[in-house]
Amino acid sequence: MAEDATSGRGDFDRTGGGAVLMDGNRLRDEIVARLAETIEAAGRPRVCLATVLVGEDRPSRIYVRNKQRKAAEAQMESRHVELPADAGQAGVEAAVAELADDPGVHGILVQLPLPDGLDADAVLNLLPPEKDVDGLTPRSMGNLVRGRSGHVPCTPLGVMRLLDRYGVETSGRRAVVIGRSTLVGLPQVLLLGRKGTDATVTLAHSRTADLAGLCRSADIVVAAAGMAGLVTADHVRPGAAVIDVGISRTAAGIVGDVDFESVQAVAGAVTPMPGGTGPMTIACLLENTLAAARMQGAL
Ligand code: NAD
């Protein structure tokens, strides 16, 4: 294997092919336990995360339930607002505005996507920046672009936590992010490239020529395209770190953007799917909720 992504640091579990397994479930549990300890040590102040679910989307329902369960483990309170798919723009906005005005609610997560016909941007714009624990409003994004403090989108932040926990060097290294959404790809580029992290980042997307060749030039590949099995061993420089964000629901179950079997034989470090970036998204949502409670003087 060429120079290893994790520089041989740490005593980590490895795949059959020898890559470090970047275990998101394990790191999420560590983070949740740390959050619970922090809240305990502060005398158990109320820290409240509100979730808003509109419609009947089954995966969204499962995500929201997992978020509530982990919030409870972190000693946080959950408030849940559920609205029918036909609640209408005004109905959804009224529910979110009420939570925004409630001093007992520190963080608000509006589960996306909203049903067809609803304007998600108009709903998100109602969130005060300090309660925007998903980090997706224009103001939070603006803060990230400008290097100011504020909530950072949970999925790309979770990727950064994995790289850090598993000792993946970023400074001066080349990274390729596949996907340019405001939810994942764009903030991921900013986080990898910002001062202190200092990777040299290339943003790849559906019009990128020779994706495999580009990825092979990278020390870190973050795949967030939502295309099952897009990244194969052919895309991976020996020893590189490969992080799978994509989720595709297939007849064979949930599948990532990364062809795990072939990639783990070449990579220096790789995330499993499931059990990689998904749990980290929840961990970072709860981290952001604690930060939100601090911003609002709850502890
Ligand atoms: P999106 O559809 O908004 O963006 C996908 C991006 O991938 C686009 O920018 C597109 O240009 C790019 N793309 C598509 N096909 C490509 C190809 N063949 N080659 C190169 N680029 C390609 O999706 P999103 O909201 O950014 O989510 C991306 C994936 O991540 C989805 O599968 C989503 O379900 C998943 N996701 C996972 C988590 C998690 O916690 N693991 C969180 C959010 C989203």
Side-chain angles (χ1 to χ4, degrees):
M1 197 182 289
E3 193 190 356
D4 198 274
T6 60
S7 319
R9 287 162 55 188
D11 181 19
F12 302 129
D13 289 342
R14 289 182 182 262
T15 68
V20 167
L21 190 68
M22 295 188 277
D23 183 343
N25 282 324
R26 182 171 163 179
L27 180 52
R28 176 208 51 210
D29 289 347
E30 290 171 10
I31 290 173
V32 167
R34 210 158 50 229
L35 293 170
E37 275 167 30
T38 304
I39 292 172
E40 197 76 43
R44 280 177 157 266
R46 274 187 69 251
V47 174
C48 178
L49 170 66
T51 48
V52 179
L53 180 64
V54 187
E56 285 303 320
D57 185 51
R58 209 169 148 266
S60 293
R61 191 168 288 277
I62 294 169
Y63 290 144
V64 166
R65 202 182 316 128
N66 286 340
K67 286 163 186 171
Q68 290 166 337
R69 193 168 329 128
K70 291 299 159 189
E73 280 178 29
Q75 306 288 354
M76 293 178 189
E77 202 176 285
S78 297
R79 177 129 18 127
H80 184 53
V81 176
E82 211 168 306
L83 298 165
D86 63 0
Q89 187 74 28
V92 177
E93 289 188 13
V96 171
E98 195 176 316
L99 294 170
D101 282 344
D102 185 340
V105 169
H106 302 108
I108 304 171
L109 173 110
V110 180
Q111 184 65 44
L112 300 175
L114 293 178
D116 286 348
L118 293 176
D119 178 354
D121 282 344
V123 173
L124 294 181
N125 277 335
L126 296 167
L127 301 179
E130 65 277 12
K131 294 192 184 188
D132 172 26
V133 285
D134 231 2
L136 296 178
T137 63
R139 276 200 281 182
S140 296
M141 285 287 185
N143 285 333
L144 180 59
V145 170
R146 301 185 71 184
R148 294 177 187 270
S149 64
H151 298 304
V152 171
C154 304
T155 300
L157 183 59
V159 170
M160 301 313 296
R161 295 282 183 268
L162 280 168
L163 294 174
D164 182 53
R165 173 68 176 77
Y166 287 94
V168 177
E169 189 60 65
T170 53
S171 179
R173 301 299 166 99
R174 278 167 300 184
V176 169
V177 176
I178 310 173
R180 55 183 162 188
S181 72
T182 48
L183 183 64
V184 189
L186 282 177
Q188 190 73 71
V189 166
L190 293 168
L191 289 172
L192 281 163
R194 73 180 173 179
K195 213 169 175 49
T197 303
D198 302 314
T200 303
V201 196
T202 305
L203 175 58
H205 46 74
S206 49
R207 308 296 289 270
T208 295
D210 187 18
L211 182 67
L214 179 70
C215 289
R216 272 199 308 275
S217 73
D219 305 292
I220 299 165
V221 176
V222 180
M227 264 205 89
L230 175 68
V231 175
T232 65
D234 192 37
H235 295 66
V236 179
R237 196 177 65 73
V242 181
I243 289 118
D244 193 354
V245 176
I247 298 174
S248 302
R249 287 177 176 77
T250 69
I254 291 180
V255 178
D257 284 358
V258 175
D259 175 31
F260 183 85
E261 268 320 302
S262 72
V263 166
Q264 62 84 29
V266 183
V270 64
T271 54
M273 174 59 75
T277 54
M280 289 308 300
T281 297
I282 296 183
C284 290
L285 173 73
L286 299 177
E287 268 190 16
N288 283 350
T289 303
L290 184 64
R294 280 209 175 98
M295 287 176 199
Q296 290 159 76
L299 76 168

